[in-house]
Amino acid sequence: MKWKTLILLFLFSVLLIGCSEKTYEPREINAETDICKVCNMGITHEDYAAQLVFKNGDYEVFDDLGCLIEFMKDVDESEVGAAFIKSADGNEWLPVEEATYVYSKDYWTPMNYGVLAFSSKDAAEQYMKENSEGERLTYEQLYDFKWGIHH
Amino acid sequence: MLGKLIVLEWKQMLRSRWLQLVAVLFIFVFVSIVMIQQLALPDIEGFTRQTASFLNLLLFLLPLFTLTIGGMSVAGDVESGWFSLLKTYPMKIFQYVSGKFVALVGSFIFIVLLALGVVFLLGGLFGGVKVPYEFLVIALCLIFIFSAIAILLGTLAKNRLHALAISLVVWALLLLLLSYLVMAIGTVVPGHVLQKLTIAILHINPVDWLRFGYFLISGQTAVLGPTYYDLIGFYGSVAGKAVFIVVTILWIVVPLFLATIKLKKFGVEK
Amino acid sequence: MRSIILHIAFFAALIGFVHEAEAGTDFQQLIDQAEEGDVIHLSKGTYEGNFIIPKGITLIGDGNAVFKPKNPKEPVITVNGANHVTIQGIKVQTPGTGMVIKDSNDIKLSNLIMNGVFSGIDVYRTNGIAVEKTTIAGNGENLGKKGNGISFYDSSGITAKNNDIAHVQDGIYLENAKDISVLKNKVENGRYGTHFMYSEDAEVRDNVYKKNVTGLMIMMTENVSLSRNDISYQDGFNGTGITLYEVKNIDIQNHTISGNRVAISVQKSDDTNISNNILQMNQTAVEAIRSGGSQVKKNYFVGNLVNVRSDMNGIQLKENYYDDYAGIDIDDDGIGDEPYVALQSFGQWMVRKPVYQYYVEAPSVVLLNQIDQQTNKTSKQLLVDENPVTKFETDRGIQWKLYWPQFILGFILTIACIVIWRRSVLT
């Protein structure tokens, strides 16, 4: 009898873990072990990393925004809980729909796609002032963007 | 009294046809795996087919043999009335259990040593073979843990045949069925749930536990993959190592304790 | 001997002045005063500063000339917009970058030693650059805080030969580079041994890659011939011997790839040709993802835990040798009479969910694979080699060779056990 209750309790807790996650939080990147789901590169430059949370609580991490978009194109949208991109200053995870994007061939990213994310338009303007001028992109435009090298 | 009992049990164990058969079988498989793998495959370190098959040999055979032989031996004592006779002596039940345990462990260590002797003997003729010490540690742990479990199973059985049946079921459960169950569940649940489930099973299945122990001792934990990074990190720390030793000892002590209680409280089923 | 020196001096005199530089002198001034084509000999000592070489001169050290930066954030030596520069036989010590070559042509670097650097040599927009016999050891930081050993950006006519690189991020990094030879280098304990990004036309031969995260990482690159590299022990959490990602026309031939987590991983690449390699004792030999058109031909699979695993697209297997092939060859033509099926349920699961890796070669999985071997013979869709080769010439036969200590130990152990057994049983 005791065993049965124990097993039931265990299954119940598993179910709880499975169901309780309604809000999606970005997880921390582990530079030692995390590799990009798409291109397999290790995520040694965390400031450019991106990640996706599935509704079932699984995570996929990416080394560059371009890899995330590549992955999003093929994934079943109904399974996706949220997607995040690190802001260019490396301070915070931004939901991909809310970030401001700027592209310039002079910006370096791990895959050299050259698209950076910012928390606000001001932050983007500021960055462009300090570095070189870039082209503003909306989140929707990312899906038509030609990811590749632009030297 | 305990000493005499151990010697008596030890002699009985070595006289048993079943154990002699098992010893020959074990030595044969042990030697052939070492010879074929070690001499035919290139000498590469790490977790390779060679080390994997060596580890699997231990994981498959040692629990099978200890469980069946130990379980049947205890159940046989009860069945034949030997245990009832022993009870008329001024001897505590715990002494009986520990005597049984020591004799069982002793005979299996003996078999492993004999197998090792033959391997060295033959290996010495072919330029030497390597038997990494991690395997010996794991073999010892396997013998200790499964001898204890075997005695517990023996006390639960009604007769020798029943003991054999229980041992085989438990063996199949720990070696195969639990893993299949987890793998099957894994096809329907998300990855992070499967990962948690795997870690839980790892702690409640002594076979998985010692397999994990092998990776820990040999420093090949990376084989398990990045999803277990935190687990590996914990067991790599001093606290983790202490926990590992404690859990391993619990796996030996608890079954023996339960077996004693069973014999004391409920006597013998007839 | 003397005549040779005289000849060199004479030759040097023909093309320009030969200078002798000594430690403590204002070395930058010496460079500034030198004419195109001059040769500067560097004697033993320490040269401190961040030097800039804007013209075609030759620096020759005897191996004891040590360069240190004044400002460690700047490179110790920068070659900027120069043609025909040769630098050899010097040591560079800096926590930052050793050397930077920018917008130059025909640069030869050799016999350099760099220890504890963030990054060794960075090359930008340069035509004709050779780095040879150079030793680079990175700092002991985490991977994220390391630079590359030698990096080439937007450059062409590149040779990296006989270099020895360790503890850096990427041993040799190439980005948007063309016409590349990577020969006889050794890269250890780094992230990627050699890393190609957006590059083309390369030969990578006779290199040694050991204990990196990935030996050869080739991404979005065309026309690369890989041959005779020795790639072993990339066995960390994400270790791979060779990873290809979105590449075109890559040949992988005559390698020995041993003891890696994954020997060759092919992703999004449909015309890769993998042939005549020995893939031995890896946890997984070949992994293919979205690369159904790539071909694995005439390789030897020996002692791997999983030979081939893939997604639904599979990979083409032709005339390989598999040491776990169970079929027979009755007509003795060296080709097995029935196809080899590399498909394993477990291997496929591992591709989909990395969590399953916990069970790699666990007792239950071993049994599962045995069952697979029987049942998968009927499903001939994926990962099937119609003509498996059955013969594999090894030089490792079983040979008689007495090893006394072990033999005696075994003898004593065996005899002791038998005696104990007999005494226990008989008395």
Tab-separated table of all heavy atoms in Angstrom, chain A residues 30, chain B residues 199 202-203 209 212 216 221 224 227-247, chain C residues 237:
chain	number	residue	atom	x	y	z
A	30	ASN	N	24.956	28.190	-20.102
A	30	ASN	CA	26.146	27.551	-19.542
A	30	ASN	C	27.215	27.469	-20.631
A	30	ASN	O	27.121	26.652	-21.553
A	30	ASN	CB	25.783	26.149	-19.047
A	30	ASN	CG	26.954	25.460	-18.402
A	30	ASN	OD1	28.107	25.857	-18.605
A	30	ASN	ND2	26.688	24.436	-17.624
B	199	ILE	N	17.214	10.942	-13.552
B	199	ILE	CA	18.023	11.174	-12.350
B	199	ILE	C	17.388	10.471	-11.143
B	199	ILE	O	18.087	9.874	-10.320
B	199	ILE	CB	18.172	12.685	-12.094
B	199	ILE	CG1	19.033	13.293	-13.203
B	199	ILE	CG2	18.796	12.948	-10.735
B	199	ILE	CD1	19.184	14.778	-13.124
B	202	LEU	N	18.049	6.809	-11.420
B	202	LEU	CA	19.469	6.588	-11.150
B	202	LEU	C	19.723	6.322	-9.666
B	202	LEU	O	20.569	5.518	-9.305
B	202	LEU	CB	20.229	7.833	-11.628
B	202	LEU	CG	21.662	8.057	-11.199
B	202	LEU	CD1	22.546	7.135	-12.001
B	202	LEU	CD2	22.064	9.496	-11.448
B	203	HIS	N	18.945	7.007	-8.824
B	203	HIS	CA	19.171	6.851	-7.385
B	203	HIS	C	18.434	5.660	-6.782
B	203	HIS	O	18.753	5.251	-5.674
B	203	HIS	CB	18.760	8.123	-6.640
B	203	HIS	CG	19.686	9.261	-6.898
B	203	HIS	ND1	19.561	10.101	-7.984
B	203	HIS	CD2	20.780	9.684	-6.233
B	203	HIS	CE1	20.513	11.000	-7.955
B	203	HIS	NE2	21.284	10.772	-6.906
B	209	TRP	N	22.954	3.090	-10.612
B	209	TRP	CA	23.782	3.791	-9.636
B	209	TRP	C	25.254	3.430	-9.812
B	209	TRP	O	26.127	4.278	-9.843
B	209	TRP	CB	23.292	3.430	-8.237
B	209	TRP	CG	24.059	4.086	-7.132
B	209	TRP	CD1	24.877	3.482	-6.238
B	209	TRP	CD2	24.070	5.482	-6.818
B	209	TRP	NE1	25.398	4.409	-5.383
B	209	TRP	CE2	24.927	5.645	-5.722
B	209	TRP	CE3	23.461	6.602	-7.370
B	209	TRP	CZ2	25.177	6.882	-5.149
B	209	TRP	CZ3	23.702	7.841	-6.801
B	209	TRP	CH2	24.554	7.970	-5.707
B	212	PHE	N	26.672	4.697	-13.100
B	212	PHE	CA	27.020	6.101	-12.889
B	212	PHE	C	28.308	6.200	-12.078
B	212	PHE	O	29.185	7.004	-12.370
B	212	PHE	CB	25.855	6.791	-12.173
B	212	PHE	CG	26.070	8.241	-11.888
B	212	PHE	CD1	26.237	9.139	-12.933
B	212	PHE	CD2	26.097	8.726	-10.594
B	212	PHE	CE1	26.430	10.487	-12.687
B	212	PHE	CE2	26.291	10.078	-10.337
B	212	PHE	CZ	26.457	10.958	-11.379
B	216	LEU	N	31.828	8.180	-12.750
B	216	LEU	CA	32.405	9.110	-11.782
B	216	LEU	C	33.855	8.747	-11.473
B	216	LEU	O	34.747	9.586	-11.547
B	216	LEU	CB	31.610	9.078	-10.474
B	216	LEU	CG	30.303	9.841	-10.408
B	216	LEU	CD1	29.716	9.703	-9.010
B	216	LEU	CD2	30.510	11.301	-10.745
B	221	THR	N	32.433	11.171	-17.037
B	221	THR	CA	31.043	11.583	-16.900
B	221	THR	C	30.510	12.314	-18.127
B	221	THR	O	29.307	12.351	-18.340
B	221	THR	CB	30.863	12.491	-15.679
B	221	THR	OG1	32.033	13.285	-15.558
B	221	THR	CG2	30.669	11.688	-14.426
B	224	LEU	N	27.755	10.976	-20.458
B	224	LEU	CA	26.315	11.040	-20.212
B	224	LEU	C	25.655	12.214	-20.915
B	224	LEU	O	24.438	12.260	-21.030
B	224	LEU	CB	26.042	11.139	-18.708
B	224	LEU	CG	26.579	9.975	-17.893
B	224	LEU	CD1	26.342	10.208	-16.410
B	224	LEU	CD2	25.913	8.681	-18.309
B	227	THR	N	23.163	17.350	-20.705
B	227	THR	CA	21.938	17.559	-19.930
B	227	THR	C	22.130	17.196	-18.462
B	227	THR	O	21.343	17.588	-17.622
B	227	THR	CB	20.784	16.703	-20.488
B	227	THR	OG1	21.320	15.537	-21.087
B	227	THR	CG2	19.991	17.466	-21.503
B	228	TYR	N	23.158	16.431	-18.168
B	228	TYR	CA	23.372	16.024	-16.774
B	228	TYR	C	24.515	16.793	-16.128
B	228	TYR	O	25.097	16.353	-15.151
B	228	TYR	CB	23.629	14.512	-16.708
B	228	TYR	CG	22.466	13.745	-17.287
B	228	TYR	CD1	22.478	13.342	-18.605
B	228	TYR	CD2	21.339	13.486	-16.525
B	228	TYR	CE1	21.391	12.685	-19.163
B	228	TYR	CE2	20.255	12.830	-17.063
B	228	TYR	CZ	20.285	12.430	-18.380
B	228	TYR	OH	19.202	11.791	-18.922
B	229	TYR	N	24.812	17.957	-16.687
B	229	TYR	CA	25.953	18.750	-16.226
B	229	TYR	C	25.878	19.059	-14.729
B	229	TYR	O	26.855	18.900	-14.000
B	229	TYR	CB	26.006	20.053	-17.023
B	229	TYR	CG	27.177	20.920	-16.708
B	229	TYR	CD1	28.445	20.594	-17.192
B	229	TYR	CD2	27.053	22.062	-15.930
B	229	TYR	CE1	29.526	21.386	-16.917
B	229	TYR	CE2	28.135	22.857	-15.641
B	229	TYR	CZ	29.372	22.515	-16.138
B	229	TYR	OH	30.450	23.302	-15.852
B	230	ASP	N	24.696	19.480	-14.260
B	230	ASP	CA	24.562	19.850	-12.847
B	230	ASP	C	24.725	18.643	-11.931
B	230	ASP	O	25.393	18.700	-10.899
B	230	ASP	CB	23.201	20.507	-12.596
B	230	ASP	CG	23.111	21.853	-13.293
B	230	ASP	OD1	24.182	22.437	-13.541
B	230	ASP	OD2	21.992	22.294	-13.604
B	231	LEU	N	24.110	17.530	-12.329
B	231	LEU	CA	24.227	16.294	-11.558
B	231	LEU	C	25.694	15.883	-11.434
B	231	LEU	O	26.191	15.573	-10.348
B	231	LEU	CB	23.434	15.188	-12.273
B	231	LEU	CG	23.474	13.815	-11.640
B	231	LEU	CD1	22.488	13.735	-10.491
B	231	LEU	CD2	23.185	12.734	-12.660
B	232	ILE	N	26.372	15.909	-12.574
B	232	ILE	CA	27.778	15.518	-12.605
B	232	ILE	C	28.610	16.478	-11.766
B	232	ILE	O	29.499	16.067	-11.019
B	232	ILE	CB	28.274	15.490	-14.063
B	232	ILE	CG1	27.597	14.357	-14.820
B	232	ILE	CG2	29.777	15.343	-14.118
B	232	ILE	CD1	27.668	14.489	-16.318
B	233	GLY	N	28.264	17.761	-11.876
B	233	GLY	CA	28.970	18.778	-11.096
B	233	GLY	C	28.841	18.500	-9.599
B	233	GLY	O	29.816	18.543	-8.860
B	234	PHE	N	27.637	18.151	-9.168
B	234	PHE	CA	27.423	17.871	-7.752
B	234	PHE	C	28.232	16.654	-7.312
B	234	PHE	O	28.937	16.706	-6.305
B	234	PHE	CB	25.934	17.631	-7.472
B	234	PHE	CG	25.680	17.136	-6.075
B	234	PHE	CD1	25.861	17.989	-4.997
B	234	PHE	CD2	25.306	15.819	-5.844
B	234	PHE	CE1	25.653	17.538	-3.702
B	234	PHE	CE2	25.105	15.367	-4.550
B	234	PHE	CZ	25.273	16.224	-3.477
B	235	TYR	N	28.140	15.574	-8.065
B	235	TYR	CA	28.855	14.369	-7.631
B	235	TYR	C	30.361	14.480	-7.813
B	235	TYR	O	31.111	13.643	-7.322
B	235	TYR	CB	28.291	13.133	-8.334
B	235	TYR	CG	27.025	12.656	-7.656
B	235	TYR	CD1	25.788	12.801	-8.261
B	235	TYR	CD2	27.079	12.105	-6.384
B	235	TYR	CE1	24.629	12.397	-7.622
B	235	TYR	CE2	25.937	11.708	-5.729
B	235	TYR	CZ	24.713	11.850	-6.346
B	235	TYR	OH	23.581	11.463	-5.702
B	236	GLY	N	30.793	15.517	-8.517
B	236	GLY	CA	32.230	15.758	-8.616
B	236	GLY	C	32.768	16.488	-7.393
B	236	GLY	O	33.961	16.465	-7.112
B	237	SER	N	31.872	17.133	-6.622
B	237	SER	CA	32.311	17.898	-5.455
B	237	SER	C	32.546	16.966	-4.262
B	237	SER	O	32.173	15.796	-4.293
B	237	SER	CB	31.244	18.937	-5.087
B	237	SER	OG	30.097	18.277	-4.599
B	238	VAL	N	33.156	17.497	-3.231
B	238	VAL	CA	33.452	16.683	-2.046
B	238	VAL	C	32.152	16.185	-1.412
B	238	VAL	O	32.006	15.007	-1.077
B	238	VAL	CB	34.262	17.502	-1.020
B	238	VAL	CG1	34.511	16.673	0.225
B	238	VAL	CG2	35.574	17.931	-1.639
B	239	ALA	N	31.181	17.101	-1.275
B	239	ALA	CA	29.892	16.718	-0.690
B	239	ALA	C	29.264	15.603	-1.536
B	239	ALA	O	28.741	14.623	-0.993
B	239	ALA	CB	28.964	17.931	-0.651
B	240	GLY	N	29.352	15.759	-2.852
B	240	GLY	CA	28.782	14.764	-3.753
B	240	GLY	C	29.416	13.405	-3.557
B	240	GLY	O	28.741	12.374	-3.519
B	241	LYS	N	30.741	13.414	-3.395
B	241	LYS	CA	31.438	12.133	-3.212
B	241	LYS	C	31.002	11.468	-1.909
B	241	LYS	O	30.809	10.252	-1.847
B	241	LYS	CB	32.949	12.361	-3.217
B	241	LYS	CG	33.480	12.479	-4.634
B	241	LYS	CD	34.931	12.925	-4.681
B	241	LYS	CE	35.320	13.197	-6.123
B	241	LYS	NZ	36.395	14.173	-6.230
B	242	ALA	N	30.842	12.319	-0.864
B	242	ALA	CA	30.383	11.785	0.419
B	242	ALA	C	28.993	11.174	0.255
B	242	ALA	O	28.736	10.059	0.726
B	242	ALA	CB	30.354	12.899	1.464
B	243	VAL	N	28.118	11.906	-0.437
B	243	VAL	CA	26.767	11.386	-0.672
B	243	VAL	C	26.842	10.065	-1.422
B	243	VAL	O	26.130	9.104	-1.106
B	243	VAL	CB	25.923	12.409	-1.466
B	243	VAL	CG1	24.627	11.777	-1.949
B	243	VAL	CG2	25.625	13.624	-0.620
B	244	PHE	N	27.740	10.027	-2.403
B	244	PHE	CA	27.845	8.802	-3.191
B	244	PHE	C	28.217	7.614	-2.302
B	244	PHE	O	27.623	6.539	-2.377
B	244	PHE	CB	28.891	8.969	-4.302
B	244	PHE	CG	28.890	7.809	-5.250
B	244	PHE	CD1	28.030	7.793	-6.330
B	244	PHE	CD2	29.726	6.718	-5.042
B	244	PHE	CE1	27.992	6.719	-7.189
B	244	PHE	CE2	29.696	5.640	-5.896
B	244	PHE	CZ	28.822	5.640	-6.974
B	245	ILE	N	29.193	7.827	-1.444
B	245	ILE	CA	29.626	6.730	-0.570
B	245	ILE	C	28.500	6.331	0.389
B	245	ILE	O	28.213	5.142	0.583
B	245	ILE	CB	30.891	7.152	0.215
B	245	ILE	CG1	32.056	7.274	-0.771
B	245	ILE	CG2	31.223	6.144	1.309
B	245	ILE	CD1	33.287	7.918	-0.209
B	246	VAL	N	27.822	7.340	0.952
B	246	VAL	CA	26.745	7.052	1.897
B	246	VAL	C	25.631	6.246	1.219
B	246	VAL	O	25.167	5.225	1.742
B	246	VAL	CB	26.182	8.360	2.497
B	246	VAL	CG1	24.888	8.089	3.247
B	246	VAL	CG2	27.211	9.002	3.422
B	247	VAL	N	25.226	6.697	0.047
B	247	VAL	CA	24.141	5.991	-0.651
B	247	VAL	C	24.556	4.556	-0.970
B	247	VAL	O	23.780	3.613	-0.795
B	247	VAL	CB	23.752	6.743	-1.948
B	247	VAL	CG1	22.780	5.913	-2.775
B	247	VAL	CG2	23.134	8.081	-1.608
C	237	PHE	N	31.708	17.175	-23.497
C	237	PHE	CA	30.251	17.126	-23.580
C	237	PHE	C	29.751	17.262	-25.017
C	237	PHE	O	28.798	16.622	-25.410
C	237	PHE	CB	29.633	18.242	-22.734
C	237	PHE	CG	29.654	17.949	-21.283
C	237	PHE	CD1	30.471	18.651	-20.428
C	237	PHE	CD2	28.846	16.945	-20.769
C	237	PHE	CE1	30.494	18.369	-19.080
C	237	PHE	CE2	28.864	16.657	-19.416
C	237	PHE	CZ	29.685	17.375	-18.574
